[in-house]
Amino acid sequence: MSNPFTLLAIETSCDDTSVALWQENALVEELRFHQAIHAAYGGVIPEWASREHEIRLPWLYHNLHKKYPDVQLHAVAATLGPGLIGSLLIGVTFAKTLALDLDIPFLGVHHLHAHIASLELPHADMTYPFLCLVATGGHTVLYEVHSPLHRIFLGGTRDDAVGEAFDKIAAQLGLPYPGGPEIEKLSQKGDPTCFSFPYPKKEAPWDYSFSGLKTAFLYARRDHPHLPIEDLAAAWHDHVIHYLLQGLFATAEYKNIPRIAVVGGVSANQKLRSLLHQTAQEKGFTYYLAPLPYCTDNAAMVAVEAYHHWLNAQYTPIDAEPFPTGEKL
Ligand code: KG4
Ligand code: ZN
């Protein structure tokens, strides 16, 4: 085809700067810079994240453009929210400027919807509906997904997100940010049966709460100083993974939906992936996961989501504002 549909996608909602090139109905290339400057501080420092995006994004775009000098863009997409407002503003301003200059549509994408769309990178032929758990550093929510752009928000955590709980526990133990992979690594050296953590009360199957579990870990550490930290971390880690999947399966059973998925940074967790596989097999569920590189924030998933917007002529007004919180779920 002489002039196939071509899309540039940008992701700058948190601490990953990423650009992706999408052509026809497939990903051509994704370039990413993970901001390591936050590692020693237990979480993302918003001001630094914005400054890093401001430095990295033009270079990532430049490198992509140099590699594909002849492409002609038909649309530019960027994450509109939720995320850190300063970080979002960098990506959105960049995308809008290109869109105006090239006289092509701007496509503003919802970050959590893009995480759900990441499932389509390996599974072009997904069966709908499915139930999707979005587990990130900022959100732990469940959606009923009926088609690429038709998702029903069911509910989620009443307090912290699961990724945030991992990050805070890691910070308490002096481990670098992001804490999820660190707690996972530590827990692989420990005995998870050394301690039992409680299950928070639920009013609906999709209810979650992580703040009490965070405190429970701190109390367990204080009250049982003889327990090796690897063992306690393993007990907490495995409990959190079981709790996450328990809510997902319980909601799927309640809703009578035989297909489930987990997306977002926490879905990179190996224990979660293997337990999901095992439980889905035992219970007769079909399950979907994104490939590891597309679990954490990336522009490839923004491209997938934006492609559906394009197919449905859902263009975003050029004066649409980035939004920091998840009020538009
Ligand atoms: O989706 P994501 O990259 O960014 C947000 O949208 O927040 O998710 C980042 C979160 C962090 O809290 C990080 O600790 C967690 O995902 N995470 C993990 C793992 N890899 C990343 N949590 C548990 N196990 C992992 N292997
Ligand atoms: Zn994310």
Side-chain angles (χ1 to χ4, degrees), residues 11 13-14 82 111-112 115 134-139 264-265 295-298 301:
E11 155 63 25
S13 67
C14 192
H111 184 63
L112 302 189
H115 271 301
V134 184
T136 71
H139 294 85
C295 293
T296 49
D297 292 346
N298 66 87
M301 67 187 194

Side-chain angles (χ1 to χ4, degrees), residues 7-319:
L7 166 79
L8 172 76
I10 296 170
E11 155 63 25
T12 62
S13 67
C14 192
D15 58 338
D16 290 284
T17 320
S18 177
V19 295
L21 191 65
W22 178 272
Q23 214 152 42
E24 270 307 293
N25 57 358
L27 178 69
V28 176
E29 175 113 28
E30 189 237 340
L31 302 179
R32 197 183 314 177
F33 176 80
H34 176 70
Q35 305 178 358
I37 49 163
H38 311 285
Y41 299 90
V44 176
I45 297 164
E47 170 81 16
W48 290 6
S50 311
R51 286 168 183 265
E52 282 279 274
H53 289 306
E54 191 273 327
I55 294 165
R56 305 293 172 177
L57 181 58
W59 282 108
L60 287 178
Y61 173 74
H62 176 70
N63 291 340
L64 193 67
H65 198 222
K66 249 191 358 201
K67 201 161 170 194
Y68 303 93
D70 300 324
V71 298
Q72 223 187 315
L73 294 180
H74 296 92
V76 190
T79 307
L80 206 53
L84 301 171
I85 194 67
S87 295
L88 292 166
L89 283 167
I90 308 276
V92 169
T93 304
F94 196 98
K96 285 183 175 180
T97 308
L98 269 179
L100 276 175
D101 191 38
L102 300 173
D103 197 19
I104 55 177
F106 164 63
L107 307 169
V109 163
H110 191 292
H111 184 63
L112 302 189
H113 298 174
H115 271 301
I116 299 173
S118 71
L119 293 167
E120 292 177 55
L121 287 160
H123 307 288
D125 53 348
M126 294 177 73
T127 306
Y128 295 87
F130 62 88
L131 195 76
C132 189
L133 170 66
V134 184
T136 71
H139 294 85
T140 304
V141 289
L142 274 159
Y143 285 89
E144 213 177 288
V145 185
H146 288 271
S147 68
L149 294 182
H150 180 200
R151 297 142 183 152
I152 300 169
F153 172 73
L154 293 175
T157 181
R158 276 177 268 134
D159 39 60
D160 294 352
V162 59
E164 187 183 356
F166 273 116
D167 296 336
K168 297 234 168 93
I169 296 298
Q172 284 283 337
L173 298 179
L175 297 169
Y177 172 86
E182 299 294 329
I183 298 289
E184 181 179 15
K185 252 187 276 163
L186 188 64
S187 75
Q188 283 160 358
K189 297 182 215 146
D191 169 16
T193 62
C194 77
F195 195 85
S196 286
F197 285 97
Y199 281 96
K201 277 210 190 84
K202 274 179 190 280
E203 273 164 25
W206 48 80
D207 261 0
Y208 286 106
S209 165
F210 293 94
S211 112
L213 284 175
K214 229 172 43 187
T215 316
F217 180 87
L218 299 181
Y219 287 166
R221 210 174 152 219
R222 182 195 64 190
D223 299 340
H224 304 276
H226 59 282
L227 278 179
I229 197 61
E230 292 82 0
D231 289 353
L232 201 56
W236 190 82
H237 172 274
D238 285 22
H239 181 72
V240 167
I241 298 299
H242 274 102
Y243 173 52
L244 265 181
L245 293 188
Q246 193 197 57
L248 174 64
F249 280 101
T251 307
E253 280 162 359
Y254 176 79
K255 289 273 174 185
N256 207 12
I257 299 176
R259 286 166 294 272
I260 48 174
V262 190
V263 298
V266 179
S267 69
N269 186 282
Q270 289 306 325
K271 173 84 192 185
L272 180 145
R273 294 173 88 87
S274 62
L275 190 63
L276 180 66
H277 173 78
Q278 188 194 323
T279 317
Q281 283 208 323
E282 281 165 16
K283 290 178 176 274
F285 278 80
T286 299
Y287 76 91
Y288 303 115
L289 284 168
L292 274 186
Y294 302 119
C295 293
T296 49
D297 292 346
N298 66 87
M301 67 187 194
V302 177
V304 183
E305 176 68 6
Y307 176 56
H308 289 295
H309 288 215
W310 166 267
L311 289 177
N312 289 276
Q314 282 186 17
Y315 310 136
T316 308
I318 203 73
D319 57 358

